Amino acid sequence: MENKTNFFAVDLGATSGRTILGTLENGKVQLDELTRFDNNLIETGGHFYWDIFALYNEIIKGLKLVAQRQIKIESIGIDTWGCDFVYIGKDGAILRNPLAYRDPHTFGVMEKYFENAVSKQKVYEKTGIQFMNFNSLFQLYAMRQAGNSAIENADKVLFIPDALSYMLTGKAICEYTVASTSQILNPKTKDLDIDLVESTGLKREQFGEMTNPATVIGTLTEEVQKMTGLGAVPVIAVAGHDTASAVAAVPAKNEKFAYLSSGTWSLMGIETKDAIINDKSFEYNFTNEGGIEGTTRFLKNICGMWIYERCRAEWKAEYEAAGKDASEDLKHITLQEAAMKEEGFRSLINPDDAVFANPDCMTKAIQDYCKAHNQPVPETKAQYCRCIFDSLALRYRQVFSWLKEFAPFEIDTLHIIGGGSMNRFLNQFTSNSLGVKVLAGPQEGTALGNVMLQAQAAGEVKDIWEMRQMIASSLDLKEFNPQDKESWDKAYEKYLEVTK
């Protein structure tokens, strides 16, 4: 590849977002961050909302910067978290800011849905999706039951990346990978399930046309062209769900791998040709989400660095209240190195216990859990961090052992991607715990996948394996191999006893 080709990627997470310039040149890909911004939850009227207009405005700022620098971009792609959505009125306007998946309005709704609408077993048979209270199916049902005015007046329902693309192009679509997180999509038909859609009082036509990754949605509207100074740049439906984009960027050599997308959430899974939906996957609560090129991401959501980040936020607030500078003490490397000096496996938690979902105080939730399970309570920041890292690595082992039961191939490598891939201590713990080789990187997996799918739409790469080969040639992966088998085996026995 001789020529330089530029793509504009928007990567939105639950706490922050970025606009990124991805450049393909001489068979390699490079990323340059253009802008970074907070994605703040808005709490009002007893609910938590995302500010969709603020996110749109940040995208516009990034596009303006591209125009100011006179950078020619081939296209634009947007990836975000899953499950949440925006309602559009008959006049084409957004009816209100979207509720956030951490809003408590869905607490207890799953059980009501199964009792009054469709049974739990039937929902899983149709969708193969892990049961979580914030899945779109339960959000829609909860809003319908509450008489929410937005759902009652909706003309269209668009998932978050599709809503932002709609704001840029005026075109309404339903991108496959993000739709697959909703627990409304049937992976066998590759479309939304009519019975489940209608159980929420909606109709299939209110959602956009099902669209696969690497498809052109449309071009920037004249309004956006005028605001940004750009021309009619195409907007591409990439893998709209951030994990789908990240998995597309796993630099694997063959199919015999598992992945761990490590960030606020940890998502561990394998890539398969078909969905795996049976009694055992139902029992273990595994999910089948859409991948690119017709693949399925068979995985399980694990509460990842959320617990650690919440603790850091609480400690930062304590420092600020005392008028102290937290910048040195709360650096990731400072906390992580201090944690390694603490006694291992002193206190263990189940990261996926409901008490850690969104407590008022995360450190107190850890204290209460340890007391309830007759364990020493962490007393220092280092002890909290060691407890979290030990517990995550052991939870990963549990989920990995289940994955091996389902995989149609022998798993010989775990690829860790995302921000968590920078935590070399947790990477080593994970290798120790699972007993397999761990390859860490890329940190920017989601943005890379976003860019490579735009490149595929532009005809720059042929398929997923060519994408992965290019990414691998552009990176320096870190390798970790298992150590201390006996101590980790003993710790796992303790973990199973504590968390049963």
Side-chain angles (χ1 to χ4, degrees):
M1 189 180 299
E2 299 283 298
N3 299 324
K4 180 188 290 188
T5 313
N6 298 313
F7 302 94
F8 183 88
V10 181
D11 179 23
L12 300 178
T15 57
S16 65
R18 298 168 306 152
T19 62
I20 294 164
L21 185 71
T23 302
L24 270 63
E25 186 175 17
N26 298 324
K28 295 194 175 184
V29 57
Q30 177 183 326
L31 301 181
D32 291 303
E33 186 175 289
L34 296 169
T35 63
R36 179 179 287 267
F37 46 90
D38 291 336
N39 181 15
N40 296 310
L41 283 175
I42 301 169
E43 184 176 4
T44 180
H47 290 289
F48 292 91
Y49 297 89
W50 301 114
D51 192 338
I52 196 72
F53 297 103
L55 295 176
Y56 168 75
N57 193 46
E58 293 292 350
I59 296 172
I60 297 297
K61 285 181 184 177
L63 292 172
K64 284 181 178 178
L65 188 59
V66 165
Q68 289 166 8
R69 295 183 182 178
Q70 298 184 324
I71 300 170
K72 181 181 183 298
I73 54 173
E74 292 295 315
S75 60
I76 299 161
I78 303 171
D79 67 77
T80 78
W81 64 97
C83 295
D84 292 342
F85 44 83
V86 174
Y87 291 118
I88 310 295
K90 290 182 179 179
D91 61 354
I94 291 172
L95 293 178
R96 65 168 59 165
N97 267 325
L99 281 167
Y101 66 87
R102 292 198 185 276
D103 187 271
H105 77 124
T106 56
F107 290 176
V109 167
M110 277 200 300
E111 293 72 19
K112 293 178 182 177
Y113 179 88
F114 300 142
E115 182 179 348
N116 299 314
V118 182
S119 72
K120 185 174 185 179
Q121 184 80 38
K122 194 69 175 175
V123 170
Y124 192 80
E125 287 174 1
K126 285 175 173 287
T127 66
I129 292 293
Q130 178 179 1
F131 289 101
M132 306 185 83
N133 68 286
F134 54 70
N135 288 348
S136 310
L137 176 63
F138 307 120
Q139 290 199 50
L140 293 165
Y141 186 76
M143 296 174 80
R144 181 68 73 183
Q145 295 301 301
N148 181 282
S149 59
I151 192 172
E152 291 183 352
N153 290 280
D155 181 59
K156 295 184 181 71
V157 185
L158 303 179
F159 295 102
I160 299 294
D162 302 335
L164 290 165
S165 294
Y166 170 78
M167 295 170 80
L168 293 176
T169 67
K171 306 292 185 182
I173 59 121
C174 184
E175 191 278 320
Y176 183 73
T177 69
V178 76
S180 74
T181 69
S182 65
Q183 204 152 47
I184 303 173
L185 184 139
N186 187 320
K188 295 173 183 174
T189 66
K190 306 292 187 184
D191 201 353
L192 302 183
D193 185 271
I194 301 300
D195 292 342
L196 297 180
V197 170
E198 292 181 351
S199 73
T200 68
L202 294 169
K203 297 178 180 179
R204 172 63 185 89
E205 52 266 32
Q206 290 178 268
F207 296 81
E209 180 181 351
M210 193 59 65
T211 304
N212 288 320
T215 301
V216 177
I217 298 171
T219 59
L220 296 178
T221 64
E222 291 184 5
E223 176 186 43
V224 175
Q225 291 180 46
K226 184 177 179 180
M227 281 193 294
T228 61
L230 295 172
V233 179
V235 177
I236 307 298
V238 295
H241 186 218
D242 49 13
T243 307
S245 275
V247 172
V250 171
K253 294 180 179 179
N254 56 51
E255 66 177 10
K256 296 182 179 180
F257 71 94
Y259 56 83
L260 177 67
S261 180
S262 179
T264 303
W265 285 95
S266 288
L267 299 105
M268 180 181 282
I270 55 176
E271 194 172 69
T272 62
K273 291 181 174 63
D274 299 303
I276 301 173
I277 304 175
N278 54 41
D279 290 343
K280 186 174 284 187
S281 66
F282 174 70
E283 177 188 349
Y284 290 160
N285 202 18
F286 269 82
T287 201
N288 291 269
E289 294 178 355
I292 70 169
E293 299 181 8
T295 59
T296 293
R297 293 176 290 120
F298 182 72
L299 62 91
K300 191 169 180 65
N301 287 278
I302 304 166
C303 187
M305 301 305 284
W306 162 253
I307 300 175
Y308 167 72
E309 290 292 357
R310 278 289 299 273
C311 287
R312 284 183 75 236
E314 289 169 16
W315 295 328
K316 182 180 179 182
E318 290 172 5
Y319 273 76
E320 290 175 348
K324 296 180 180 179
D325 181 7
S327 58
E328 287 300 319
D329 290 355
L330 297 185
K331 280 184 177 178
H332 292 301
I333 192 62
T334 303
L335 290 171
Q336 291 165 15
E337 288 183 345
M340 295 310 104
K341 297 174 183 176
E342 295 294 329
E343 176 188 351
F345 318 121
R346 177 177 180 267
S347 308
L348 299 174
I349 61 172
N350 177 2
D352 287 324
D353 193 289
V355 300
F356 302 118
N358 194 15
D360 292 333
C361 178
M362 186 63 77
T363 51
K364 185 176 185 303
I366 294 172
Q367 292 170 9
D368 292 344
Y369 187 97
C370 290
K371 288 175 185 176
H373 293 82
N374 301 312
Q375 298 182 96
V377 173
E379 298 174 357
T380 66
K381 297 178 185 65
Q383 287 179 349
Y384 278 104
C385 292
R386 185 59 188 255
C387 168
I388 294 166
F389 298 152
D390 284 347
S391 301
L392 279 174
L394 292 165
R395 177 59 170 165
Y396 294 160
R397 175 171 176 163
Q398 186 175 38
V399 174
F400 187 74
S401 69
W402 294 336
L403 270 177
K404 290 194 292 186
E405 296 180 33
F406 295 103
F409 46 79
E410 182 180 351
I411 305 172
D412 57 23
T413 304
L414 176 72
H415 284 271
I416 299 182
I417 55 178
S421 68
M422 300 296 288
N423 187 335
R424 68 178 189 272
F425 301 109
L426 183 55
N427 293 341
Q428 185 61 62
F429 280 9
T430 302
S431 180
N432 297 349
S433 184
L434 273 58
V436 298
K437 177 174 69 177
V438 164
L439 292 176
Q443 177 189 1
E444 304 290 355
T446 302
L448 279 169
N450 182 321
V451 167
M452 295 309 295
L453 283 159
Q454 292 186 62
Q456 186 180 26
E460 296 282 346
V461 291
K462 181 177 61 176
D463 59 19
I464 190 170
W465 295 108
E466 189 172 335
M467 290 181 204
R468 287 172 170 164
Q469 184 179 6
M470 183 181 292
I471 291 168
S473 69
S474 307
L475 297 175
D476 179 23
L477 301 179
K478 305 298 182 187
E479 182 173 330
F480 301 85
N481 290 289
Q483 302 172 1
D484 305 326
K485 181 179 186 303
E486 186 176 343
S487 63
W488 279 91
D489 286 348
K490 189 178 295 184
Y492 187 55
E493 292 177 10
K494 177 182 177 181
Y495 172 84
L496 293 176
E497 183 63 30
V498 168
T499 61
K500 68 180 180 181

